[in-house]
Amino acid sequence: MTLPAFFCTSPGSNGQGTAEDEHPTSAWLNVYDTSARYVGMDVCRGCHPGVYETFMQTGMGQSFGLATREKSAADFAPAHAIVYDTALDYYYKPYWRGDTFYIMEYRLQGRDTVHKLVQRVDHVVGSGQHTNSHIFDVNGYLYQAPITFYTQKHKWDMAPGFEKGASSRFRRMIQLECMTCHNALPGFVAGSENKYTQVMHGIDCERCHGPGSLHVAARQSSPPVDTSKTPDHTIVNPRRLSTELQNNVCQRCHLQGIAVLNDGKTFFDFRPGMRLSEVMNVFMPEYEGAQDKMIMASHVERMKKSDCYVSSGKMSCITCHKPHVSVKFTPRTQYLAACQGCHTGSGKAECKETMQARMAKKDDCVTCHMPRNGSIDIPHVAVTDHYIRSRPVPAEEAKKITAFLGMKCYNNDKPDAITVARGYMEFYERYAPSRGLLDSALKYLGMQPTEEAGKKQNRDLIRAYYLLEDHAKVTGYAAAMQPAAIADAWTAYRIGESYFQVGAADKALPWYKRATEIWPHALDFNNKYGTCLLALNRLQEAQQVFGFVLKEAPGHVSANTNMGYIYMQQGNGTMAYEYLMRANANDPDHEQNLLNLAVWHYTNNQYDKARTRVEHLLQKHPGNERARAMLLDLSNM
């Protein structure tokens, strides 16, 4: 196989690797000073009320809020508010009961409702300019609801990524990468994937200016700095940063792609004034052709393709945008003036269209050179394409895809081979489960330039072979490793799962346990640890683990299923049925739970109900051989 190319960004962008980079410094005091703390937007408001008021009307200021009638832009009229998931056969109805927002999931069989699940909505994500999506809270664990309101089309539909049979219904976790681009800095519970102590209402001032405590302390003890004459170095002013560092502030959230964190870094670690590559490297798939393929929040990636960006060396997001003012209230003339500043005057490239053609478009540069385009990740929306081109691209050329070229990093010229490999694996897991991506990852993992890089290799080889379902290979790497020496929860989990898949539950157990020690609030890791205990017939210990999961998330389907099974083994049919029905209420198609319910009915001489469960199971999971055998047995009775 030919190794897909690795692409670097254009010359002039900041890379890594010099001695200077090892100890970065900044003239802005709040960038690297670890004593600098975030003070919150209300503190900023005290001295900057005018800026606060206009900023709160922007998409950033409106990016996250409580689920109130005022926050929601959705239409709840019956003609608009029913969504049907054709792949999984569920209907969804959003509605208000008083001032509380709910989404009801239900299934019909003829005119009968055979399943109904009602979920309260706690938060609305999105300003309403493009969408409103919906989040609910279970004991601090945040999940996304399966339907979204698309404001441009004025319609409800399945949420992005939930279409075409991919719906996870009410189980999609809201993890830090997502939350930190729609929120200020939330209170996150370490050792979890999606548990929070608090969430803020929208992006705030310090996401672009950095932590404000040094600035507040300085202003309380000394007169304000006259910033028309000299910078106030206690807090970052993005307009005074270099062009590349300006763009790094914006591309933390507006370069949406495959974000690969550097070792030891989290999504909290980036501060304005840093290079984004100090914390993460962001990759995008590149195709030959396919010029219309854009991700909704990939504005920086599209801009960096543009001749305006490549040639000028000074183009940043704030060349055209005023971050404190909503695009809804920004006059069109501001954007046109930015174009004319570079394209009008002696020796500058000017528009080649006739004046008649220009006047037909109201002499609006953006209309022709930055047309609105659909995105490949969010349906029913059209956004301004920031790939500025001198001529419109013919539709047939724009849509043509001839080959996948590789992964391109847009914020670092020289990521190491391991980072590139991780980009390929992340793309495989999230978007495109193609074997070729893992082959590329393995080739990059074989390009280790230093001994230190080689030490990190096992973790990534384990991930690659785990994704390839080569569990024997994973356990081979793990044979010389000890669980206590592993600090990465996912590595411990993957080793445990591989041992479990090859039938070595006894060897899997300490690895599952290690994963839960590192991330004690990762509920799915806990559930697999309990499942392994169950396989080893350690019922009492398993029961304790499932009890913890259900205390944290009472609707956890698999934990309820497993708890029901334990009670069946203990001969407590009443409790067994209670837990199995809790699981069924949250997922009526869960394969193992349907089988357990069929067995429960069978052992209680309820043969017709057992047959109904088995027939339903085989309708949804036709390959289940145990169900087929049970159905045959029931048919012979």
Side-chain angles (χ1 to χ4, degrees), residues 40-58:
M41 188 157 48
D42 285 339
V43 174
C44 306
R45 181 183 188 179
C47 293
H48 306 280
V51 172
Y52 171 89
E53 294 300 332
T54 60
F55 175 77
M56 287 307 296
Q57 299 177 65
T58 67

Side-chain angles (χ1 to χ4, degrees), residues 23 39 86 165 168 180 230 237 241 257 292 328 338 370 378 392 473 480 512 537 574 584 595 611:
H23 303 284
V39 299
T86 57
S168 50
T180 53
T230 185
N237 179 347
L241 294 173
D292 66 330
K328 293 184 291 187
M370 301 175 65
I378 311 292
K473 200 91 169 181
Y512 282 135
N537 205 33
T574 301
N584 187 253
L595 188 60
R611 183 179 293 106

Side-chain angles (χ1 to χ4, degrees), residues 28 96 205 220 225 229 245 262 279 286 288 304 330 334 430 434 464 471 493 502 517 574 595:
W28 304 95
W96 293 95
C205 314
Q220 288 175 341
V225 174
K229 297 178 180 178
L245 290 181
N262 298 343
V279 176
E286 289 288 296
E288 185 178 352
K304 286 188 173 184
T330 301
Q334 176 180 314
R430 290 195 195 183
S434 165
H471 299 298
Y493 171 81
V502 299
E517 289 170 346
T574 301
L595 188 60

Side-chain angles (χ1 to χ4, degrees), residues 67 126 342 401:
C342 289
I401 299 178

Side-chain angles (χ1 to χ4, degrees), residues 151-189:
T151 54
Q152 289 180 335
K153 292 292 182 70
H154 200 75
K155 66 177 291 184
W156 286 91
D157 205 345
M158 300 303 293
F162 285 72
E163 317 96 326
K164 300 177 182 178
S167 174
S168 50
R169 299 175 55 243
F170 295 95
R171 294 192 293 272
R172 178 187 279 180
M173 294 183 285
I174 302 298
Q175 297 174 313
L176 265 182
E177 182 176 0
C178 174
M179 180 60 77
T180 53
C181 276
H182 285 280
N183 206 259
L185 293 171
F188 181 68
V189 176

